[in-house]
Amino acid sequence: MVDTRTHVVVLGGGYAGTVAANRVRMAENADVTLVNPRPRFVERIRLHQLVAGRDDAVVDYAEVLGAGIRLVTDRATRIDAAARTVALGSGDALDYDYLIYAVGSTAAVPASVPGATEFAYPIAEFEYATRLRAALDDLPATTALTVVGAGSTGIETAAELAEQGHPVTLVCGGALGPYLSAPARRSAARRLAKLGVTVLDGPAATVTAVTRHTVTLADGREVPSPLTVWATGFGVPDLAAASGLSTDALGRLLTDESLTSVDDPRIVAAGDAVAPSNQPLRMCCASAAPLGAHAADTVLSRMAGTAPPPLNVALAGQCISLGSRAGVFQLSHTDDTATPLYLGGRTGATLKTAALRASVTLLAREARKPGSLRWLKSAKRAQRLAGSEKVTAT
């Protein structure tokens, strides 16, 4: 008897992977397996709250994963595209008809900064945030702390720790909140100052070395730092490159505008680890969910024998919490560049709280009703790509 079922394996159970796994169930003949190294869904956008002890930042997969999806708690170690198999850390292997690559991003602590990998505490992953929380529990509440990195993660972490009573120095390595417009940046700076955060910005405020008790800056200043938090950006797992698939310089899987790998039409990608036409979207929850949905739609189109649509995702802005009682919601153009408009103070905090809740609500809704997720779209990405050399799938 001919097997008419199609096995879809999703690597990564974050925002993008969970949406993709849920949405693929729109095909009645699809069997879906989700591979994730953790047994529970991590609310990554709450990790700063985990560090501050305000949230555990995890949700049971039963709440966000639809019926019939097989969850495998394991880590993918290699993809064999020719054989259509995925090797797992446990020694097992999975066969697939289609693979959705949604492995996400990782904390990036540069080895080029002496002492950073040894003494600094990353925060961008659940295990790192848990380790940092334990380290904070061992310190007096008034211990001075240094946060390196002034993007959203660094700002949110600095504000949370200052609200707890820690004297915090935020080392920007450039501008505070580089994504923010000037008015929003001023609003964030005022709130941080009110919380007692010392902001060190400009080119001289770049970390050149970390010890157990200090942070050294480019201009030679030494900042006392019994505990240093590192929040300067993200890397991606090396799974794609190690499997012989084409990647960009950071290691993100190269795809065309349907999110299909340039090497194999059976591999589709989503989330932080994808570089469509070598022009990746900003790494964030707001882009991960629609990318996951689009990846699923591409797989569904290929299963149906139709041409998958090109990517069309627009972002409305970025919402940054500044402790529990304030925030900044920066509005953006549809090409993800900031406008002068923002909402701050308690309104910003309210919007951030709503966004945190909505991220899980949207997953749960897609689990109950596959295909329900909708997202902002714009023609600007297509217009920009029309003037450049596209990367197309083979």
Side-chain angles (χ1 to χ4, degrees), residues 140-221:
T142 55
T143 300
L145 309 173
T146 300
V147 177
V148 180
S152 59
T153 301
I155 291 172
E156 291 183 331
T157 304
E160 288 282 350
L161 295 177
E163 197 170 69
Q164 285 191 328
H166 288 284
V168 177
T169 298
L170 180 60
V171 180
C172 298
L176 173 70
Y179 177 82
L180 300 175
S181 63
R185 186 175 297 115
R186 288 193 292 270
S187 176
R190 287 193 298 269
R191 178 59 184 174
L192 289 171
K194 188 173 183 179
L195 289 170
V197 177
T198 300
V199 175
L200 304 180
D201 57 4
T206 300
V207 175
T208 58
V210 180
T211 71
R212 193 179 300 277
H213 301 292
T214 63
V215 167
T216 303
L217 305 183
D219 60 2
R221 283 178 291 174

Side-chain angles (χ1 to χ4, degrees), residues 319 324-327 345-355:
C319 200
S324 61
R325 294 183 290 276
R346 290 189 178 275
T347 301
T350 300
L351 289 170
K352 178 67 176 185
T353 299

Side-chain angles (χ1 to χ4, degrees), residues 237-270:
D238 65 355
L239 176 61
S243 301
L245 299 170
S246 298
T247 67
D248 69 0
L250 189 64
R252 289 172 289 215
L253 186 70
L254 282 179
T255 72
D256 65 9
E257 282 296 290
S258 72
L259 301 183
T260 302
S261 165
V262 299
D263 302 307
D264 191 315
R266 296 276 180 160
I267 299 176
V268 180

Side-chain angles (χ1 to χ4, degrees), residues 17-347:
T18 301
V19 166
N22 284 328
R23 196 176 184 92
V24 166
R25 293 179 305 133
M26 292 172 66
E28 294 183 356
N29 65 327
D31 293 324
V32 184
T33 298
L34 178 67
V35 180
N36 193 63
R38 305 175 186 96
R40 303 180 74 190
F41 176 83
V42 174
E43 291 187 82
R44 197 171 183 183
I45 55 177
R46 287 189 185 271
L47 290 180
H48 62 290
Q49 294 182 343
L50 168 62
V51 168
R54 292 208 297 124
D55 199 279
D56 61 6
V58 292
V59 174
D60 288 337
Y61 271 112
E63 297 183 31
V64 296
L65 210 55
I69 297 174
R70 178 191 175 200
L71 175 64
V72 175
T73 305
D74 209 332
R75 186 179 299 274
T77 58
R78 188 171 180 82
I79 301 165
D80 187 333
R84 294 183 195 164
T85 62
V86 178
L88 304 178
S90 63
D92 292 337
L94 295 173
D95 298 323
Y96 66 84
D97 295 303
Y98 289 95
L99 181 73
I100 297 180
Y101 186 86
V103 296
S105 54
T106 62
V109 181
S112 59
V113 178
T117 56
E118 183 178 1
F119 298 113
Y121 286 78
I123 186 176
E125 296 179 56
F126 179 76
E127 290 77 12
Y128 290 138
T130 302
R131 172 175 167 257
L132 174 56
R133 175 67 257 165
L136 287 167
D137 286 341
D138 292 336
L139 296 175
T142 55
T143 300
L145 309 173
T146 300
V147 177
V148 180
S152 59
T153 301
I155 291 172
E156 291 183 331
T157 304
E160 288 282 350
L161 295 177
E163 197 170 69
Q164 285 191 328
H166 288 284
V168 177
T169 298
L170 180 60
V171 180
C172 298
L176 173 70
Y179 177 82
L180 300 175
S181 63
R185 186 175 297 115
R186 288 193 292 270
S187 176
R190 287 193 298 269
R191 178 59 184 174
L192 289 171
K194 188 173 183 179
L195 289 170
V197 177
T198 300
V199 175
L200 304 180
D201 57 4
T206 300
V207 175
T208 58
V210 180
T211 71
R212 193 179 300 277
H213 301 292
T214 63
V215 167
T216 303
L217 305 183
D219 60 2
R221 283 178 291 174
E222 284 194 351
V223 179
S225 183
L227 189 147
T228 301
V229 181
W230 202 272
T232 60
F234 302 98
V236 297
D238 65 355
L239 176 61
S243 301
L245 299 170
S246 298
T247 67
D248 69 0
L250 189 64
R252 289 172 289 215
L253 186 70
L254 282 179
T255 72
D256 65 9
E257 282 296 290
S258 72
L259 301 183
T260 302
S261 165
V262 299
D263 302 307
D264 191 315
R266 296 276 180 160
I267 299 176
V268 180
D272 290 350
V274 60
S277 298
N278 214 4
Q279 295 190 28
L281 279 70
R282 172 163 51 92
M283 292 182 177
C284 62
C285 172
S287 62
L291 283 170
H294 189 96
D297 289 348
T298 291
V299 170
L300 292 170
S301 293
R302 294 194 181 281
M303 289 174 61
T306 59
L311 180 66
N312 192 334
V313 174
L315 298 177
Q318 186 177 80
C319 200
I320 300 174
S321 66
L322 295 163
S324 61
R325 294 183 290 276
V328 169
F329 177 49
Q330 171 67 68
L331 280 77
S332 75
H333 300 288
T334 55
D335 63 355
D336 199 30
T337 58
T339 74
L341 302 177
Y342 78 95
L343 298 169
R346 290 189 178 275
T347 301

